[in-house]
Amino acid sequence: MSIDVDDDPTARSGELTLVLSLGAARRLADPEAAFADARRWSRYVGIVANDADAVERFVRERDIETDYALRNWDKWGTLGDVYDEADTPRHVFVGTDSSDRRVATHVGFEYRDVREAAERADWELGEPGSGDDPGLLGRLRRVVSDRLG
C-alpha cells in the first residue's frame, strides 16, 4: 500500500486524512466538487470499498483523484494501511451504515455518517435513486452496493 499523490501533500495545510466509502461517495450530489473541496482542507482524500474495481470505475467515470493506490483488498485492510501510512493527526472515515462505523472504529478512524459529513462540509446529497441508475432497479443496485461497498 502506498499513498500516491501528484502534488506534495506536505504543502497541503490540512491535518486530516479523509476517506469515504464508495456508498457515501455515491450519495453525494456532486462528488467531483466535494472531493475538490475536501482537498483544500485535507492532506489525503480517497474512496474505499470491498470491490476495488467498482471504486476504480467510479473515480474514472467522475475524474476524481484519490491519494492512494487501491488493491484488491477489503475496506478493513485498505483503511488499516491508510491509517498506518498517513502522517496526519486526524483520520476520518465517512460511511453509510453501522458496518462502516465498525470498520472505522476498529482501525482507528473517526466515523462520520455521510449525512453529517455533508452537512458539516456544506455538500449536497443526491436524491435517493438519482444518478447513474434510474428507477427501482437503480435504487436496489445502490442499496446493495452501499451495503457491500
mmCIF file with all atom_site columns, all heavy atoms in Angstrom, residues 86-112:
data_model
loop_
_atom_site.group_PDB
_atom_site.id
_atom_site.type_symbol
_atom_site.label_atom_id
_atom_site.label_alt_id
_atom_site.label_comp_id
_atom_site.label_asym_id
_atom_site.label_entity_id
_atom_site.label_seq_id
_atom_site.pdbx_PDB_ins_code
_atom_site.Cartn_x
_atom_site.Cartn_y
_atom_site.Cartn_z
_atom_site.occupancy
_atom_site.B_iso_or_equiv
_atom_site.pdbx_formal_charge
_atom_site.auth_seq_id
_atom_site.auth_comp_id
_atom_site.auth_asym_id
_atom_site.auth_atom_id
_atom_site.pdbx_PDB_model_num
ATOM 1   N N   . ALA A 1 86  ? -0.546  7.314  6.540  1.00 0.00 ? 86  ALA A N   1
ATOM 2   C CA  . ALA A 1 86  ? -0.875  8.743  6.501  1.00 0.00 ? 86  ALA A CA  1
ATOM 3   C C   . ALA A 1 86  ? -0.308  9.425  7.741  1.00 0.00 ? 86  ALA A C   1
ATOM 4   O O   . ALA A 1 86  ? -0.571  9.006  8.864  1.00 0.00 ? 86  ALA A O   1
ATOM 5   C CB  . ALA A 1 86  ? -2.379  8.943  6.414  1.00 0.00 ? 86  ALA A CB  1
ATOM 6   N N   . ASP A 1 87  ? 0.431   10.487 7.518  1.00 0.00 ? 87  ASP A N   1
ATOM 7   C CA  . ASP A 1 87  ? 1.110   11.178 8.610  1.00 0.00 ? 87  ASP A CA  1
ATOM 8   C C   . ASP A 1 87  ? 0.305   12.361 9.142  1.00 0.00 ? 87  ASP A C   1
ATOM 9   O O   . ASP A 1 87  ? 0.850   13.410 9.427  1.00 0.00 ? 87  ASP A O   1
ATOM 10  C CB  . ASP A 1 87  ? 2.486   11.642 8.143  1.00 0.00 ? 87  ASP A CB  1
ATOM 11  C CG  . ASP A 1 87  ? 2.408   12.546 6.924  1.00 0.00 ? 87  ASP A CG  1
ATOM 12  O OD1 . ASP A 1 87  ? 1.320   12.664 6.322  1.00 0.00 ? 87  ASP A OD1 1
ATOM 13  O OD2 . ASP A 1 87  ? 3.434   13.149 6.566  1.00 0.00 ? 87  ASP A OD2 1
ATOM 14  N N   . THR A 1 88  ? -0.986  12.158 9.279  1.00 0.00 ? 88  THR A N   1
ATOM 15  C CA  . THR A 1 88  ? -1.851  13.229 9.780  1.00 0.00 ? 88  THR A CA  1
ATOM 16  C C   . THR A 1 88  ? -2.326  12.895 11.185 1.00 0.00 ? 88  THR A C   1
ATOM 17  O O   . THR A 1 88  ? -2.477  11.716 11.528 1.00 0.00 ? 88  THR A O   1
ATOM 18  C CB  . THR A 1 88  ? -3.078  13.418 8.866  1.00 0.00 ? 88  THR A CB  1
ATOM 19  O OG1 . THR A 1 88  ? -3.787  12.173 8.785  1.00 0.00 ? 88  THR A OG1 1
ATOM 20  C CG2 . THR A 1 88  ? -2.675  13.875 7.476  1.00 0.00 ? 88  THR A CG2 1
ATOM 21  N N   . PRO A 1 89  ? -2.596  13.909 11.993 1.00 0.00 ? 89  PRO A N   1
ATOM 22  C CA  . PRO A 1 89  ? -3.081  13.639 13.345 1.00 0.00 ? 89  PRO A CA  1
ATOM 23  C C   . PRO A 1 89  ? -4.535  13.155 13.397 1.00 0.00 ? 89  PRO A C   1
ATOM 24  O O   . PRO A 1 89  ? -4.933  12.518 14.358 1.00 0.00 ? 89  PRO A O   1
ATOM 25  C CB  . PRO A 1 89  ? -2.935  14.972 14.076 1.00 0.00 ? 89  PRO A CB  1
ATOM 26  C CG  . PRO A 1 89  ? -2.721  15.997 13.037 1.00 0.00 ? 89  PRO A CG  1
ATOM 27  C CD  . PRO A 1 89  ? -2.266  15.318 11.791 1.00 0.00 ? 89  PRO A CD  1
ATOM 28  N N   . ARG A 1 90  ? -5.327  13.446 12.361 1.00 0.00 ? 90  ARG A N   1
ATOM 29  C CA  . ARG A 1 90  ? -6.733  13.019 12.336 1.00 0.00 ? 90  ARG A CA  1
ATOM 30  C C   . ARG A 1 90  ? -6.992  12.160 11.115 1.00 0.00 ? 90  ARG A C   1
ATOM 31  O O   . ARG A 1 90  ? -6.496  12.438 10.027 1.00 0.00 ? 90  ARG A O   1
ATOM 32  C CB  . ARG A 1 90  ? -7.686  14.215 12.283 1.00 0.00 ? 90  ARG A CB  1
ATOM 33  C CG  . ARG A 1 90  ? -7.818  14.937 13.590 1.00 0.00 ? 90  ARG A CG  1
ATOM 34  C CD  . ARG A 1 90  ? -8.903  15.991 13.518 1.00 0.00 ? 90  ARG A CD  1
ATOM 35  N NE  . ARG A 1 90  ? -10.232 15.392 13.387 1.00 0.00 ? 90  ARG A NE  1
ATOM 36  C CZ  . ARG A 1 90  ? -11.279 16.017 12.855 1.00 0.00 ? 90  ARG A CZ  1
ATOM 37  N NH1 . ARG A 1 90  ? -11.154 17.252 12.401 1.00 0.00 ? 90  ARG A NH1 1
ATOM 38  N NH2 . ARG A 1 90  ? -12.444 15.432 12.794 1.00 0.00 ? 90  ARG A NH2 1
ATOM 39  N N   . HIS A 1 91  ? -7.798  11.120 11.318 1.00 0.00 ? 91  HIS A N   1
ATOM 40  C CA  . HIS A 1 91  ? -8.221  10.219 10.247 1.00 0.00 ? 91  HIS A CA  1
ATOM 41  C C   . HIS A 1 91  ? -9.735  10.088 10.358 1.00 0.00 ? 91  HIS A C   1
ATOM 42  O O   . HIS A 1 91  ? -10.230 9.654  11.401 1.00 0.00 ? 91  HIS A O   1
ATOM 43  C CB  . HIS A 1 91  ? -7.575  8.845  10.410 1.00 0.00 ? 91  HIS A CB  1
ATOM 44  C CG  . HIS A 1 91  ? -6.087  8.872  10.376 1.00 0.00 ? 91  HIS A CG  1
ATOM 45  N ND1 . HIS A 1 91  ? -5.326  9.227  11.465 1.00 0.00 ? 91  HIS A ND1 1
ATOM 46  C CD2 . HIS A 1 91  ? -5.230  8.613  9.368  1.00 0.00 ? 91  HIS A CD2 1
ATOM 47  C CE1 . HIS A 1 91  ? -4.048  9.156  11.130 1.00 0.00 ? 91  HIS A CE1 1
ATOM 48  N NE2 . HIS A 1 91  ? -3.964  8.786  9.863  1.00 0.00 ? 91  HIS A NE2 1
ATOM 49  N N   . VAL A 1 92  ? -10.456 10.472 9.304  1.00 0.00 ? 92  VAL A N   1
ATOM 50  C CA  . VAL A 1 92  ? -11.922 10.429 9.328  1.00 0.00 ? 92  VAL A CA  1
ATOM 51  C C   . VAL A 1 92  ? -12.416 9.553  8.186  1.00 0.00 ? 92  VAL A C   1
ATOM 52  O O   . VAL A 1 92  ? -11.990 9.711  7.040  1.00 0.00 ? 92  VAL A O   1
ATOM 53  C CB  . VAL A 1 92  ? -12.528 11.851 9.206  1.00 0.00 ? 92  VAL A CB  1
ATOM 54  C CG1 . VAL A 1 92  ? -14.048 11.784 9.134  1.00 0.00 ? 92  VAL A CG1 1
ATOM 55  C CG2 . VAL A 1 92  ? -12.079 12.721 10.379 1.00 0.00 ? 92  VAL A CG2 1
ATOM 56  N N   . PHE A 1 93  ? -13.322 8.633  8.522  1.00 0.00 ? 93  PHE A N   1
ATOM 57  C CA  . PHE A 1 93  ? -13.948 7.761  7.531  1.00 0.00 ? 93  PHE A CA  1
ATOM 58  C C   . PHE A 1 93  ? -15.419 8.120  7.452  1.00 0.00 ? 93  PHE A C   1
ATOM 59  O O   . PHE A 1 93  ? -16.134 8.105  8.459  1.00 0.00 ? 93  PHE A O   1
ATOM 60  C CB  . PHE A 1 93  ? -13.779 6.296  7.925  1.00 0.00 ? 93  PHE A CB  1
ATOM 61  C CG  . PHE A 1 93  ? -14.390 5.326  6.954  1.00 0.00 ? 93  PHE A CG  1
ATOM 62  C CD1 . PHE A 1 93  ? -14.084 5.370  5.609  1.00 0.00 ? 93  PHE A CD1 1
ATOM 63  C CD2 . PHE A 1 93  ? -15.260 4.352  7.402  1.00 0.00 ? 93  PHE A CD2 1
ATOM 64  C CE1 . PHE A 1 93  ? -14.641 4.461  4.712  1.00 0.00 ? 93  PHE A CE1 1
ATOM 65  C CE2 . PHE A 1 93  ? -15.823 3.436  6.522  1.00 0.00 ? 93  PHE A CE2 1
ATOM 66  C CZ  . PHE A 1 93  ? -15.513 3.492  5.172  1.00 0.00 ? 93  PHE A CZ  1
ATOM 67  N N   . VAL A 1 94  ? -15.886 8.448  6.250  1.00 0.00 ? 94  VAL A N   1
ATOM 68  C CA  . VAL A 1 94  ? -17.278 8.803  6.010  1.00 0.00 ? 94  VAL A CA  1
ATOM 69  C C   . VAL A 1 94  ? -17.970 7.595  5.385  1.00 0.00 ? 94  VAL A C   1
ATOM 70  O O   . VAL A 1 94  ? -17.540 7.110  4.332  1.00 0.00 ? 94  VAL A O   1
ATOM 71  C CB  . VAL A 1 94  ? -17.397 10.028 5.074  1.00 0.00 ? 94  VAL A CB  1
ATOM 72  C CG1 . VAL A 1 94  ? -18.860 10.337 4.779  1.00 0.00 ? 94  VAL A CG1 1
ATOM 73  C CG2 . VAL A 1 94  ? -16.687 11.229 5.677  1.00 0.00 ? 94  VAL A CG2 1
ATOM 74  N N   . GLY A 1 95  ? -18.998 7.123  6.051  1.00 0.00 ? 95  GLY A N   1
ATOM 75  C CA  . GLY A 1 95  ? -19.689 5.932  5.576  1.00 0.00 ? 95  GLY A CA  1
ATOM 76  C C   . GLY A 1 95  ? -21.192 6.090  5.598  1.00 0.00 ? 95  GLY A C   1
ATOM 77  O O   . GLY A 1 95  ? -21.721 7.193  5.771  1.00 0.00 ? 95  GLY A O   1
ATOM 78  N N   . THR A 1 96  ? -21.866 4.954  5.468  1.00 0.00 ? 96  THR A N   1
ATOM 79  C CA  . THR A 1 96  ? -23.322 4.986  5.347  1.00 0.00 ? 96  THR A CA  1
ATOM 80  C C   . THR A 1 96  ? -24.060 4.129  6.362  1.00 0.00 ? 96  THR A C   1
ATOM 81  O O   . THR A 1 96  ? -25.278 4.241  6.470  1.00 0.00 ? 96  THR A O   1
ATOM 82  C CB  . THR A 1 96  ? -23.759 4.517  3.941  1.00 0.00 ? 96  THR A CB  1
ATOM 83  O OG1 . THR A 1 96  ? -23.286 3.185  3.735  1.00 0.00 ? 96  THR A OG1 1
ATOM 84  C CG2 . THR A 1 96  ? -23.242 5.443  2.862  1.00 0.00 ? 96  THR A CG2 1
ATOM 85  N N   . ASP A 1 97  ? -23.355 3.257  7.088  1.00 0.00 ? 97  ASP A N   1
ATOM 86  C CA  . ASP A 1 97  ? -24.089 2.344  7.966  1.00 0.00 ? 97  ASP A CA  1
ATOM 87  C C   . ASP A 1 97  ? -23.222 1.855  9.124  1.00 0.00 ? 97  ASP A C   1
ATOM 88  O O   . ASP A 1 97  ? -22.068 2.248  9.269  1.00 0.00 ? 97  ASP A O   1
ATOM 89  C CB  . ASP A 1 97  ? -24.640 1.155  7.166  1.00 0.00 ? 97  ASP A CB  1
ATOM 90  C CG  . ASP A 1 97  ? -23.559 0.367  6.453  1.00 0.00 ? 97  ASP A CG  1
ATOM 91  O OD1 . ASP A 1 97  ? -22.394 0.376  6.898  1.00 0.00 ? 97  ASP A OD1 1
ATOM 92  O OD2 . ASP A 1 97  ? -23.878 -0.279 5.431  1.00 0.00 ? 97  ASP A OD2 1
ATOM 93  N N   . SER A 1 98  ? -23.807 0.985  9.938  1.00 0.00 ? 98  SER A N   1
ATOM 94  C CA  . SER A 1 98  ? -23.119 0.506  11.137 1.00 0.00 ? 98  SER A CA  1
ATOM 95  C C   . SER A 1 98  ? -21.883 -0.326 10.820 1.00 0.00 ? 98  SER A C   1
ATOM 96  O O   . SER A 1 98  ? -20.923 -0.331 11.595 1.00 0.00 ? 98  SER A O   1
ATOM 97  C CB  . SER A 1 98  ? -24.081 -0.281 12.034 1.00 0.00 ? 98  SER A CB  1
ATOM 98  O OG  . SER A 1 98  ? -24.586 -1.400 11.345 1.00 0.00 ? 98  SER A OG  1
ATOM 99  N N   . SER A 1 99  ? -21.875 -1.018 9.697  1.00 0.00 ? 99  SER A N   1
ATOM 100 C CA  . SER A 1 99  ? -20.669 -1.788 9.352  1.00 0.00 ? 99  SER A CA  1
ATOM 101 C C   . SER A 1 99  ? -19.511 -0.843 9.027  1.00 0.00 ? 99  SER A C   1
ATOM 102 O O   . SER A 1 99  ? -18.356 -1.127 9.372  1.00 0.00 ? 99  SER A O   1
ATOM 103 C CB  . SER A 1 99  ? -20.932 -2.771 8.209  1.00 0.00 ? 99  SER A CB  1
ATOM 104 O OG  . SER A 1 99  ? -21.180 -2.092 7.003  1.00 0.00 ? 99  SER A OG  1
ATOM 105 N N   . ASP A 1 100 ? -19.796 0.287  8.398  1.00 0.00 ? 100 ASP A N   1
ATOM 106 C CA  . ASP A 1 100 ? -18.754 1.285  8.151  1.00 0.00 ? 100 ASP A CA  1
ATOM 107 C C   . ASP A 1 100 ? -18.240 1.854  9.481  1.00 0.00 ? 100 ASP A C   1
ATOM 108 O O   . ASP A 1 100 ? -17.044 2.069  9.654  1.00 0.00 ? 100 ASP A O   1
ATOM 109 C CB  . ASP A 1 100 ? -19.270 2.428  7.273  1.00 0.00 ? 100 ASP A CB  1
ATOM 110 C CG  . ASP A 1 100 ? -19.420 2.033  5.814  1.00 0.00 ? 100 ASP A CG  1
ATOM 111 O OD1 . ASP A 1 100 ? -18.800 1.044  5.391  1.00 0.00 ? 100 ASP A OD1 1
ATOM 112 O OD2 . ASP A 1 100 ? -20.153 2.735  5.094  1.00 0.00 ? 100 ASP A OD2 1
ATOM 113 N N   . ARG A 1 101 ? -19.143 2.076  10.408 1.00 0.00 ? 101 ARG A N   1
ATOM 114 C CA  . ARG A 1 101 ? -18.750 2.583  11.738 1.00 0.00 ? 101 ARG A CA  1
ATOM 115 C C   . ARG A 1 101 ? -17.825 1.577  12.424 1.00 0.00 ? 101 ARG A C   1
ATOM 116 O O   . ARG A 1 101 ? -16.819 1.951  13.023 1.00 0.00 ? 101 ARG A O   1
ATOM 117 C CB  . ARG A 1 101 ? -19.975 2.854  12.603 1.00 0.00 ? 101 ARG A CB  1
ATOM 118 C CG  . ARG A 1 101 ? -19.620 3.368  14.000 1.00 0.00 ? 101 ARG A CG  1
ATOM 119 C CD  . ARG A 1 101 ? -20.851 3.573  14.874 1.00 0.00 ? 101 ARG A CD  1
ATOM 120 N NE  . ARG A 1 101 ? -21.771 4.550  14.326 1.00 0.00 ? 101 ARG A NE  1
ATOM 121 C CZ  . ARG A 1 101 ? -21.667 5.865  14.476 1.00 0.00 ? 101 ARG A CZ  1
ATOM 122 N NH1 . ARG A 1 101 ? -20.671 6.365  15.161 1.00 0.00 ? 101 ARG A NH1 1
ATOM 123 N NH2 . ARG A 1 101 ? -22.554 6.669  13.943 1.00 0.00 ? 101 ARG A NH2 1
ATOM 124 N N   . ARG A 1 102 ? -18.154 0.292  12.341 1.00 0.00 ? 102 ARG A N   1
ATOM 125 C CA  . ARG A 1 102 ? -17.318 -0.746 12.963 1.00 0.00 ? 102 ARG A CA  1
ATOM 126 C C   . ARG A 1 102 ? -15.914 -0.751 12.376 1.00 0.00 ? 102 ARG A C   1
ATOM 127 O O   . ARG A 1 102 ? -14.926 -0.837 13.105 1.00 0.00 ? 102 ARG A O   1
ATOM 128 C CB  . ARG A 1 102 ? -17.943 -2.127 12.770 1.00 0.00 ? 102 ARG A CB  1
ATOM 129 C CG  . ARG A 1 102 ? -18.786 -2.588 13.908 1.00 0.00 ? 102 ARG A CG  1
ATOM 130 C CD  . ARG A 1 102 ? -19.152 -4.055 13.800 1.00 0.00 ? 102 ARG A CD  1
ATOM 131 N NE  . ARG A 1 102 ? -19.650 -4.461 12.496 1.00 0.00 ? 102 ARG A NE  1
ATOM 132 C CZ  . ARG A 1 102 ? -20.898 -4.338 12.092 1.00 0.00 ? 102 ARG A CZ  1
ATOM 133 N NH1 . ARG A 1 102 ? -21.807 -3.791 12.883 1.00 0.00 ? 102 ARG A NH1 1
ATOM 134 N NH2 . ARG A 1 102 ? -21.264 -4.749 10.911 1.00 0.00 ? 102 ARG A NH2 1
ATOM 135 N N   . VAL A 1 103 ? -15.820 -0.689 11.053 1.00 0.00 ? 103 VAL A N   1
ATOM 136 C CA  . VAL A 1 103 ? -14.512 -0.681 10.387 1.00 0.00 ? 103 VAL A CA  1
ATOM 137 C C   . VAL A 1 103 ? -13.704 0.520  10.862 1.00 0.00 ? 103 VAL A C   1
ATOM 138 O O   . VAL A 1 103 ? -12.536 0.393  11.232 1.00 0.00 ? 103 VAL A O   1
ATOM 139 C CB  . VAL A 1 103 ? -14.662 -0.641 8.847  1.00 0.00 ? 103 VAL A CB  1
ATOM 140 C CG1 . VAL A 1 103 ? -13.324 -0.450 8.177  1.00 0.00 ? 103 VAL A CG1 1
ATOM 141 C CG2 . VAL A 1 103 ? -15.339 -1.892 8.332  1.00 0.00 ? 103 VAL A CG2 1
ATOM 142 N N   . ALA A 1 104 ? -14.317 1.695  10.824 1.00 0.00 ? 104 ALA A N   1
ATOM 143 C CA  . ALA A 1 104 ? -13.621 2.925  11.213 1.00 0.00 ? 104 ALA A CA  1
ATOM 144 C C   . ALA A 1 104 ? -13.103 2.824  12.640 1.00 0.00 ? 104 ALA A C   1
ATOM 145 O O   . ALA A 1 104 ? -11.923 3.111  12.912 1.00 0.00 ? 104 ALA A O   1
ATOM 146 C CB  . ALA A 1 104 ? -14.553 4.130  11.074 1.00 0.00 ? 104 ALA A CB  1
ATOM 147 N N   . THR A 1 105 ? -13.956 2.432  13.541 1.00 0.00 ? 105 THR A N   1
ATOM 148 C CA  . THR A 1 105 ? -13.589 2.342  14.945 1.00 0.00 ? 105 THR A CA  1
ATOM 149 C C   . THR A 1 105 ? -12.472 1.326  15.160 1.00 0.00 ? 105 THR A C   1
ATOM 150 O O   . THR A 1 105 ? -11.523 1.572  15.905 1.00 0.00 ? 105 THR A O   1
ATOM 151 C CB  . THR A 1 105 ? -14.820 1.972  15.791 1.00 0.00 ? 105 THR A CB  1
ATOM 152 O OG1 . THR A 1 105 ? -15.837 2.947  15.560 1.00 0.00 ? 105 THR A OG1 1
ATOM 153 C CG2 . THR A 1 105 ? -14.489 1.917  17.265 1.00 0.00 ? 105 THR A CG2 1
ATOM 154 N N   . HIS A 1 106 ? -12.558 0.204  14.489 1.00 0.00 ? 106 HIS A N   1
ATOM 155 C CA  . HIS A 1 106 ? -11.569 -0.858 14.654 1.00 0.00 ? 106 HIS A CA  1
ATOM 156 C C   . HIS A 1 106 ? -10.168 -0.430 14.217 1.00 0.00 ? 106 HIS A C   1
ATOM 157 O O   . HIS A 1 106 ? -9.187  -0.774 14.864 1.00 0.00 ? 106 HIS A O   1
ATOM 158 C CB  . HIS A 1 106 ? -12.000 -2.106 13.891 1.00 0.00 ? 106 HIS A CB  1
ATOM 159 C CG  . HIS A 1 106 ? -11.036 -3.239 14.022 1.00 0.00 ? 106 HIS A CG  1
ATOM 160 N ND1 . HIS A 1 106 ? -10.962 -4.018 15.141 1.00 0.00 ? 106 HIS A ND1 1
ATOM 161 C CD2 . HIS A 1 106 ? -10.087 -3.698 13.176 1.00 0.00 ? 106 HIS A CD2 1
ATOM 162 C CE1 . HIS A 1 106 ? -10.015 -4.927 14.991 1.00 0.00 ? 106 HIS A CE1 1
ATOM 163 N NE2 . HIS A 1 106 ? -9.470  -4.752 13.805 1.00 0.00 ? 106 HIS A NE2 1
ATOM 164 N N   . VAL A 1 107 ? -10.071 0.314  13.115 1.00 0.00 ? 107 VAL A N   1
ATOM 165 C CA  . VAL A 1 107 ? -8.745  0.682  12.598 1.00 0.00 ? 107 VAL A CA  1
ATOM 166 C C   . VAL A 1 107 ? -8.256  2.033  13.104 1.00 0.00 ? 107 VAL A C   1
ATOM 167 O O   . VAL A 1 107 ? -7.143  2.432  12.792 1.00 0.00 ? 107 VAL A O   1
ATOM 168 C CB  . VAL A 1 107 ? -8.685  0.628  11.053 1.00 0.00 ? 107 VAL A CB  1
ATOM 169 C CG1 . VAL A 1 107 ? -8.967  -0.766 10.545 1.00 0.00 ? 107 VAL A CG1 1
ATOM 170 C CG2 . VAL A 1 107 ? -9.618  1.627  10.420 1.00 0.00 ? 107 VAL A CG2 1
ATOM 171 N N   . GLY A 1 108 ? -9.060  2.756  13.890 1.00 0.00 ? 108 GLY A N   1
ATOM 172 C CA  . GLY A 1 108 ? -8.601  3.995  14.494 1.00 0.00 ? 108 GLY A CA  1
ATOM 173 C C   . GLY A 1 108 ? -9.070  5.272  13.845 1.00 0.00 ? 108 GLY A C   1
ATOM 174 O O   . GLY A 1 108 ? -8.619  6.358  14.202 1.00 0.00 ? 108 GLY A O   1
ATOM 175 N N   . PHE A 1 109 ? -9.977  5.172  12.881 1.00 0.00 ? 109 PHE A N   1
ATOM 176 C CA  . PHE A 1 109 ? -10.534 6.361  12.240 1.00 0.00 ? 109 PHE A CA  1
ATOM 177 C C   . PHE A 1 109 ? -11.694 6.900  13.065 1.00 0.00 ? 109 PHE A C   1
ATOM 178 O O   . PHE A 1 109 ? -12.401 6.139  13.724 1.00 0.00 ? 109 PHE A O   1
ATOM 179 C CB  . PHE A 1 109 ? -11.082 6.018  10.848 1.00 0.00 ? 109 PHE A CB  1
ATOM 180 C CG  . PHE A 1 109 ? -10.076 6.054  9.735  1.00 0.00 ? 109 PHE A CG  1
ATOM 181 C CD1 . PHE A 1 109 ? -9.090  5.087  9.640  1.00 0.00 ? 109 PHE A CD1 1
ATOM 182 C CD2 . PHE A 1 109 ? -10.125 7.044  8.779  1.00 0.00 ? 109 PHE A CD2 1
ATOM 183 C CE1 . PHE A 1 109 ? -8.173  5.104  8.612  1.00 0.00 ? 109 PHE A CE1 1
ATOM 184 C CE2 . PHE A 1 109 ? -9.208  7.080  7.742  1.00 0.00 ? 109 PHE A CE2 1
ATOM 185 C CZ  . PHE A 1 109 ? -8.223  6.095  7.658  1.00 0.00 ? 109 PHE A CZ  1
ATOM 186 N N   . GLU A 1 110 ? -11.920 8.199  13.003 1.00 0.00 ? 110 GLU A N   1
ATOM 187 C CA  . GLU A 1 110 ? -13.175 8.772  13.483 1.00 0.00 ? 110 GLU A CA  1
ATOM 188 C C   . GLU A 1 110 ? -14.221 8.420  12.431 1.00 0.00 ? 110 GLU A C   1
ATOM 189 O O   . GLU A 1 110 ? -13.912 8.367  11.248 1.00 0.00 ? 110 GLU A O   1
ATOM 190 C CB  . GLU A 1 110 ? -13.080 10.300 13.560 1.00 0.00 ? 110 GLU A CB  1
ATOM 191 C CG  . GLU A 1 110 ? -12.069 10.831 14.540 1.00 0.00 ? 110 GLU A CG  1
ATOM 192 C CD  . GLU A 1 110 ? -11.932 12.340 14.420 1.00 0.00 ? 110 GLU A CD  1
ATOM 193 O OE1 . GLU A 1 110 ? -12.947 13.033 14.189 1.00 0.00 ? 110 GLU A OE1 1
ATOM 194 O OE2 . GLU A 1 110 ? -10.794 12.817 14.548 1.00 0.00 ? 110 GLU A OE2 1
ATOM 195 N N   . TYR A 1 111 ? -15.450 8.205  12.844 1.00 0.00 ? 111 TYR A N   1
ATOM 196 C CA  . TYR A 1 111 ? -16.510 7.885  11.897 1.00 0.00 ? 111 TYR A CA  1
ATOM 197 C C   . TYR A 1 111 ? -17.494 9.033  11.790 1.00 0.00 ? 111 TYR A C   1
ATOM 198 O O   . TYR A 1 111 ? -17.887 9.627  12.795 1.00 0.00 ? 111 TYR A O   1
ATOM 199 C CB  . TYR A 1 111 ? -17.274 6.623  12.323 1.00 0.00 ? 111 TYR A CB  1
ATOM 200 C CG  . TYR A 1 111 ? -18.417 6.312  11.388 1.00 0.00 ? 111 TYR A CG  1
ATOM 201 C CD1 . TYR A 1 111 ? -18.185 5.711  10.158 1.00 0.00 ? 111 TYR A CD1 1
ATOM 202 C CD2 . TYR A 1 111 ? -19.727 6.656  11.722 1.00 0.00 ? 111 TYR A CD2 1
ATOM 203 C CE1 . TYR A 1 111 ? -19.226 5.454  9.289  1.00 0.00 ? 111 TYR A CE1 1
ATOM 204 C CE2 . TYR A 1 111 ? -20.774 6.396  10.863 1.00 0.00 ? 111 TYR A CE2 1
ATOM 205 C CZ  . TYR A 1 111 ? -20.520 5.797  9.643  1.00 0.00 ? 111 TYR A CZ  1
ATOM 206 O OH  . TYR A 1 111 ? -21.555 5.549  8.774  1.00 0.00 ? 111 TYR A OH  1
ATOM 207 N N   . ARG A 1 112 ? -17.899 9.329  10.559 1.00 0.00 ? 112 ARG A N   1
ATOM 208 C CA  . ARG A 1 112 ? -18.965 10.295 10.298 1.00 0.00 ? 112 ARG A CA  1
ATOM 209 C C   . ARG A 1 112 ? -19.914 9.684  9.274  1.00 0.00 ? 112 ARG A C   1
ATOM 210 O O   . ARG A 1 112 ? -19.478 9.180  8.246  1.00 0.00 ? 112 ARG A O   1
ATOM 211 C CB  . ARG A 1 112 ? -18.436 11.620 9.728  1.00 0.00 ? 112 ARG A CB  1
ATOM 212 C CG  . ARG A 1 112 ? -17.498 12.375 10.636 1.00 0.00 ? 112 ARG A CG  1
ATOM 213 C CD  . ARG A 1 112 ? -18.250 12.977 11.817 1.00 0.00 ? 112 ARG A CD  1
ATOM 214 N NE  . ARG A 1 112 ? -17.362 13.727 12.682 1.00 0.00 ? 112 ARG A NE  1
ATOM 215 C CZ  . ARG A 1 112 ? -16.809 13.254 13.776 1.00 0.00 ? 112 ARG A CZ  1
ATOM 216 N NH1 . ARG A 1 112 ? -17.032 12.028 14.162 1.00 0.00 ? 112 ARG A NH1 1
ATOM 217 N NH2 . ARG A 1 112 ? -16.019 14.010 14.516 1.00 0.00 ? 112 ARG A NH2 1
#
